[in-house]
Amino acid sequence: MRSNLAAPSAIDGIRERALRLVTGPVGRADLALAFAESQASSIDVHVEGRNFYPPMLEDIESASSSVHINQFGFRPGVIGDAFADVLVAKAAEGVRVRLVVDRQGSDPERSSAALYDRLKAAGVEICVVRATKLRASFGPLGSDGATQWNLGGLGHIDHRKFVVVDGRIGWIGGAGIEDHFQDGRFHDLFLRAEGPVVAQLQLVFLAGFRWLGGVVSSEEIETLFPELDAGPDAVPALVLHNAPGRYRPITDAIGRLLERAGRSLDVVNPYVTDRGMIRRIEQAARRGVSVRLFVPANANNWACAAAQRFHHASLLDAGVRILEYPTMLHAKAFVRDGEELLAGTCNLEAWSLKRFFEIDLQVWSEAVASQFDERFSAPAEVSSAPGRRLVGMKERAKATAFAALSPLL
């Protein structure tokens, strides 16, 4: 069941939680952030890097107090350097620029070191998730933080991609700040949100930044969390955040969405290997729901692609329309009955559903769902080819083997 809309005083509760995060120690348990349903004053769907990077950069350029970016992949290149230019300029203006990146996704101390050295020199505060290191240093990059045991973070890669500007504008989607999203090799999207729900994104960033040893002054709280009015066209919305441990609200929300579909269901995902989720998609089609499953024709993860194709026959037999997008479809989104949208970073494979840091935005709006269909689903369907069943003993054997390994993929 959905909760009631957040009360006007909800920002006070968010600020209280933020104050506790900045004034005390932050442990892994503090990352399990649950929110009441909030509101957005506007939500817009932006498809393809050439369409979402320019307005995202414009928003960052307009920042007057803070820019917070959490990115799995932020690497040098045409688009990475463009972001670096803007962030350096904002830091020079006195805007607090903070960045959380994942070591595996961004490689800030090796192949991307020159980019991050430039950002550090400009005053950008950078924290790094080192989920593959048994012992890791904590604190901002370049601060020579003490090396500690990293048992609580081991294996929990930070796969999130979101931006918060002045606590007023939020961007959340599946793309990294990397050239293959800009030039069309990877097909992805971002949602841009304004209004009270942005405070939830801000708190998620703050918790992660503090957990990694970043410092935020208590004097910043009111500026970081401004009072925002959703306005007359308020859209019910909620930030969901998978954190290390057994706190997996995104996973639960995806399961509920699939189970509650009554008329139509769109599933957009590059890696569909989780048997429980696949079973829910099949069941939706068998009870008469019109189901479209958008996947890449040639996924960049060949093991996941093989495991996914193992299930194509049963999905097709259930009545699911499988649509294979010609380039690397990387978006992660679900639309139920033309009235509920869930989009962000979570894939339908074991690591995303159970182990990684992930973040999604849940929206209840026919207008936003219609916008998603117009800008993403309808064009993708025209460009896609029908999914096929496996043929040949070798292809079936490979798929069977990787499907058996899917809990590890």
Side-chain angles (χ1 to χ4, degrees):
M1 294 293 291
R2 286 168 53 193
S3 61
N4 293 326
L5 295 182
S9 61
I11 190 63
D12 294 332
I14 292 279
R15 287 173 177 166
E16 289 175 9
R17 295 164 76 179
L19 188 60
R20 290 196 296 271
L21 287 171
V22 303
T23 56
V26 177
R28 196 175 78 166
D30 296 305
L31 304 177
L33 296 168
F35 299 110
E37 184 181 306
S38 184
Q39 296 172 306
S41 56
S42 67
I43 293 179
D44 291 299
V45 180
H46 295 258
V47 181
E48 295 279 22
R50 65 177 184 271
N51 295 319
F52 55 69
Y53 288 132
M56 193 183 297
L57 285 167
E58 288 177 7
D59 284 340
I60 294 171
E61 288 173 341
S62 74
S64 60
S65 58
S66 64
V67 176
H68 290 165
I69 300 178
N70 195 303
Q71 262 293 350
F72 172 75
F74 183 177
R75 292 177 179 266
V78 173
I79 195 63
D81 293 346
F83 269 79
D85 289 345
V86 174
L87 296 179
V88 167
K90 298 313 294 185
E93 294 173 12
V95 173
R96 300 303 295 263
V97 181
R98 298 183 174 102
L99 180 62
V100 171
V101 296
D102 186 87
R103 180 177 181 268
Q104 295 302 108
S106 297
D107 206 20
E109 296 161 302
R110 295 178 298 181
S111 64
S112 303
L115 173 72
Y116 286 89
D117 286 344
R118 181 188 175 204
L119 292 171
K120 284 187 299 180
V124 176
E125 302 164 70
I126 306 164
C127 286
V128 182
V129 175
R130 297 180 172 88
T132 59
K133 303 283 287 184
L134 185 59
R135 288 180 60 81
S137 60
F138 287 77
L141 192 64
S143 64
D144 297 322
T147 299
Q148 305 173 25
W149 289 105
N150 188 35
L151 299 178
L154 201 63
H156 299 296
I157 283 174
D158 192 341
H159 191 237
R160 298 171 294 182
K161 296 104 174 173
F162 68 98
V163 177
V164 185
V165 178
D166 288 344
R168 298 176 179 277
I169 301 169
W171 289 83
I172 181 168
I177 301 174
E178 300 169 280
D179 283 350
H180 51 264
F181 293 101
Q182 165 69 13
D183 60 23
R185 283 175 288 163
F186 278 43
H187 186 56
D188 215 319
L189 64 90
F190 263 88
L191 304 181
R192 182 187 186 274
E194 292 190 66
V197 73
V198 176
Q200 298 180 354
L201 277 180
Q202 185 79 293
L203 193 70
V204 170
F205 179 88
L206 197 65
F209 187 75
R210 289 283 296 118
W211 181 60
L212 294 167
V215 177
V216 179
S217 169
S218 59
E219 297 175 354
E220 294 182 63
I221 296 301
E222 286 198 15
T223 303
L224 291 174
F225 297 90
E227 188 88 45
L228 300 175
D229 183 7
D233 300 319
V235 178
L238 173 66
V239 169
L240 299 172
H241 173 234
N242 279 9
R246 295 188 177 275
Y247 186 69
R248 305 164 188 160
I250 301 174
T251 305
D252 295 339
I254 293 171
R256 288 193 300 269
L257 184 149
L258 298 178
E259 291 168 356
R260 292 175 181 174
R263 301 187 308 276
S264 63
L265 176 65
D266 282 355
V267 177
V268 181
N269 215 266
Y271 315 120
V272 184
T273 65
D274 183 83
R275 288 178 181 267
M277 295 300 184
I278 292 169
R279 184 173 61 253
R280 290 179 175 92
I281 295 170
E282 288 181 13
Q283 290 170 344
R286 292 189 186 280
R287 64 176 180 265
V289 177
S290 175
V291 182
R292 294 185 294 186
L293 173 61
F294 294 88
V295 295
N298 295 292
N300 63 332
N301 185 322
W302 57 269
C304 280
Q308 173 189 294
R309 288 198 171 96
F310 171 82
H311 299 281
H312 276 200
S314 61
L315 287 164
L316 291 167
D317 287 343
V320 175
R321 293 181 59 212
I322 302 174
L323 298 160
E324 296 189 345
Y325 196 77
T327 60
M328 177 53 203
L329 185 147
H330 191 260
K332 309 95 169 44
F334 308 82
V335 184
R336 179 188 64 82
D337 296 337
E339 61 187 29
E340 178 183 1
L341 168 67
L342 179 66
T345 66
C346 194
N347 293 313
L348 291 182
E349 38 82 7
W351 287 97
S352 275
L353 292 169
K354 299 177 182 178
R355 305 180 186 103
F356 287 177
F357 285 95
E358 303 286 359
I359 193 160
D360 275 36
L361 184 64
Q362 191 169 19
V363 180
W364 294 270
S365 167
E366 292 182 1
V368 175
S370 177
Q371 184 188 133
F372 185 90
D373 184 71
E374 177 185 344
R375 298 181 183 180
F376 189 92
S377 298
E381 181 172 6
V382 171
S383 301
S384 298
R388 62 177 180 84
R389 301 169 190 270
L390 295 174
V391 295
M393 183 177 296
K394 182 177 180 181
E395 192 175 44
R396 288 197 298 268
K398 178 181 177 181
T400 301
F402 282 104
L405 294 172
S406 60
L408 304 176
L409 298 178

